[in-house]
């Protein structure tokens, strides 16, 4: 447990989650944690949920188990959705996962030759649990900063924690009002373009609708998303620097699309794993989500996609499963968000993001009215 475990803001977080998820008497609340650094958040929610008359069950999911499974378990075992987690989702009316930011630590044992395929199978199994979660429960995922991650990216733990709470406990009703015009533009729009020195990507959005995420399901929060038309993603996009997904590090990832499908994958690190993830199933070759970061309180680039995708001045695509509420039809057990920083000081240089030619970010500067306020 960290030195911040007694911070009173954990209690505020528990109250916020219970309110947004409408926890009430008779609810069955499942809580997953991946590390003891997430316990202050979990304990806060347990206290609030039980005061509301809910039943609570907690599952510990150490990331060490995922790492060791990839090394030692048979492929068919890895591909099987975890039975306890599946049972929890079927039992629950409300689910919250508290996921601490843990930098990947490789196993002491050598990786098998088929490691990329093993990782893809594990993500497929986890995707089955995610599907049960959003089909059966009112849910939230909370990404908890840690001193170890802060040290890895060279910032103070206190500043990272402050930004987390600011991005989790924002004035969400006011934020929705400020952000609605972006939703309206997506609903009426036909295409989105992402351009920079290393990127030129065009995504069709005609007939699709926007989903606004403002404090309900993901914390920290603050994004608008839609589901691009399946065969109308063309061009290339680069993600400079290091990002982490599924316990793996990817460096300088590059993707090229034609008629909606990934046709080329390059990376200085993690290319083989990226290709295996994209080969998970037919739907994982396509973009299921286009997301635009809207949070002006979350600004520190961390390398963690769950945090970085909320930053105002960023854009992200997710390979795989689309949001049905946006009109998306792409199905996959994979949902891999990959974030591109478009800000002036971004690793790949400033970029431009536009809906039907109207810029949200122009040469690294946020220019959409009301967003920066």
């Amino acid at each position: 447990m960290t030195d911040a475990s007694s911070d009173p803001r954990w209690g505020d977080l528990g109250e916020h989650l219970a309110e947004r998820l409408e926890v009430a008497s008779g609810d069955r609340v499942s809580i997953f944690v991946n590390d003891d650094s997430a316990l202050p958040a979990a304990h806060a929610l347990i206290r609030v949920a039980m005061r509301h008359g809910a039943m609570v069950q907690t599952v510990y999911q150490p990331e060490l188990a995922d790492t060791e499974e990839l090394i030692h378990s048979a492929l068919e075992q890895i591909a099987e959705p975890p039975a306890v987690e599946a049972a929890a989702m079927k039992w629950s009316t409300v689910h919250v996962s508290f996921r601490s930011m843990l930098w990947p630590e490789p196993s002491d044992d050598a990786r098998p030759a088929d490691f990329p395929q093993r990782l893809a199978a594990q993500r497929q199994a986890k995707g089955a649990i995610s599907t049960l979660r959003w089909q059966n429960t009112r849910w939230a995922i909370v990404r908890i900063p840690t001193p170890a991650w802060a040290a890895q990216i060279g910032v103070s733990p206190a500043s990272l924690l402050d930004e987390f709470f600011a991005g989790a406990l924002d004035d969400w009703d006011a934020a929705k009002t400020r952000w609605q015009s972006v939703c309206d533009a997506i609903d009426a729009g036909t295409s989105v373009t992402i351009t920079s020195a290393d990127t030129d990507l065009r995504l069709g959005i005609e007939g699709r609708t926007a989903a606004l995420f403002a404090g309900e399901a993901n914390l920290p929060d603050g994004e608008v998303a839609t589901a691009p038309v399946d065969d109308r993603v063309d061009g290339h996009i680069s993600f400079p620097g290091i990002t982490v997904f599924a316990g793996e590090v990817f460096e300088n990832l590059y993707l090229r699309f034609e008629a909606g499908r990934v046709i080329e994958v390059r990376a200085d690190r993690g290319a083989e794993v990226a290709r295996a993830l994209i080969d998970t199933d037919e739907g994982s070759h396509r973009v299921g989500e286009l997301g635009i970061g809207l949070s002006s309180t979350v600004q520190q680039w961390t390398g963690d996609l769950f945090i970085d995708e909320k930053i105002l001045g960023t854009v992200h695509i997710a390979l795989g499963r689309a949001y049905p509420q946006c009109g998306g039809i792409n199905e996959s057990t994979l949902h891999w968000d990959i974030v591109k920083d478009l800000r002036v000081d971004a690793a790949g240089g400033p970029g431009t993001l536009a809906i039907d030619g109207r810029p949200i970010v122009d040469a690294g500067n946020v220019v959409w009215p009301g967003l920066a306020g």
Side-chain angles (χ1 to χ4, degrees):
M1 196 171 295
T2 70
D3 292 337
S5 61
S6 61
D7 194 310
R9 291 175 293 185
W10 295 121
D12 297 335
L13 179 66
E15 295 283 357
H16 170 77
L17 286 166
E19 177 187 353
R20 290 287 170 158
L21 297 174
E22 300 179 341
V23 175
S25 178
D27 268 323
R28 300 184 299 275
V29 180
S30 63
I31 296 173
F32 289 2
V33 296
N34 70 336
D35 186 71
D36 64 359
S37 55
L39 290 179
H43 290 169
L45 180 58
I46 289 169
R47 292 186 183 100
V48 176
M50 287 188 167
R51 285 203 302 267
H52 284 242
M55 298 174 284
V56 180
Q57 295 289 310
T58 305
V59 177
Y60 173 47
Q61 307 167 290
E63 293 192 8
L64 171 67
D66 289 345
T67 302
E68 296 302 311
E69 178 186 57
L70 290 170
I71 302 298
H72 299 293
S73 296
L75 184 60
E76 58 269 22
Q77 292 174 311
I78 296 171
E80 183 176 345
V84 172
E85 296 177 31
M89 294 303 176
K90 293 172 183 176
W91 173 81
S92 306
T93 57
V94 175
H95 172 77
V96 180
S97 283
F98 293 106
R99 301 177 182 173
S100 293
M101 297 168 68
L102 304 176
W103 198 263
E105 293 187 12
S107 170
D108 293 335
D109 299 308
R111 289 182 168 184
D114 62 347
F115 181 85
Q117 291 72 34
R118 287 167 171 263
L119 181 63
Q122 188 180 74
R123 296 312 303 180
Q124 188 170 12
K126 289 181 178 293
I129 301 301
S130 296
T131 299
L132 288 173
R133 183 189 72 227
W134 61 260
Q135 285 181 340
N136 296 341
T137 75
R138 307 188 302 276
W139 60 272
I141 297 173
V142 184
R143 196 66 163 147
I144 307 292
T146 60
W149 196 288
Q152 187 72 39
I153 63 174
V155 302
S156 75
S159 67
L160 198 60
L161 189 64
D162 286 344
E163 196 161 288
F164 161 77
F165 280 121
L169 302 173
D170 206 344
D171 183 345
W172 295 116
D173 292 333
K176 286 180 178 180
T177 299
R178 296 199 313 273
W179 299 341
Q180 184 59 45
S181 62
V182 182
C183 298
D184 295 341
I186 290 173
D187 290 346
T190 59
S191 67
V192 171
T193 54
I194 307 168
T195 56
S196 67
D198 59 7
T199 293
D200 185 0
L201 191 67
R202 300 166 301 284
L203 306 99
I205 59 168
E206 187 172 8
R208 301 297 170 89
T209 57
L212 184 59
F213 296 95
E216 292 92 357
N218 293 314
L219 298 175
D221 212 351
E223 67 169 289
V224 61
T226 192
V229 179
D230 296 51
D231 60 354
R232 288 191 55 205
V233 179
D234 293 279
H236 65 275
I237 185 168
S238 295
F239 303 93
I242 287 176
T243 59
V244 177
F245 175 71
E248 289 296 300
V249 175
F250 301 88
E251 186 172 3
N252 298 330
L253 181 64
Y254 168 95
L255 302 173
R256 179 177 290 276
F257 295 85
E258 187 175 290
R261 286 180 59 88
V262 178
I263 62 168
E264 184 179 359
V265 180
R266 300 201 306 259
D268 293 339
R269 181 178 178 184
E272 187 177 0
V273 172
R275 294 187 188 104
L277 289 169
I278 291 168
D279 284 338
T280 297
D281 51 40
E282 177 57 31
S284 56
H285 292 79
R286 298 185 182 276
V287 177
E289 177 197 347
L290 167 71
I292 300 169
L294 298 175
S295 176
S296 58
T297 59
V298 178
Q299 288 294 289
Q300 174 63 54
W301 185 266
T302 67
D304 182 284
L305 61 91
F306 199 91
I307 302 290
D308 297 342
E309 68 178 2
K310 312 307 188 327
I311 297 173
L312 181 62
T314 69
V315 64
H316 58 278
I317 61 172
L319 297 172
R321 184 178 64 255
Y323 291 127
Q325 66 265 43
C326 298
I329 59 174
N330 195 52
E331 296 182 354
S332 175
T333 54
L334 183 73
H335 187 87
W336 179 13
D337 290 288
I338 319 172
V339 188
K340 182 168 185 63
D341 194 352
L342 300 173
R343 296 174 293 176
V344 171
D345 57 354
T352 296
L353 167 68
I355 302 173
D356 291 337
R358 182 185 177 190
I360 294 176
V361 182
D362 188 8
N365 298 298
V366 177
V367 295
W368 195 274
L371 286 191

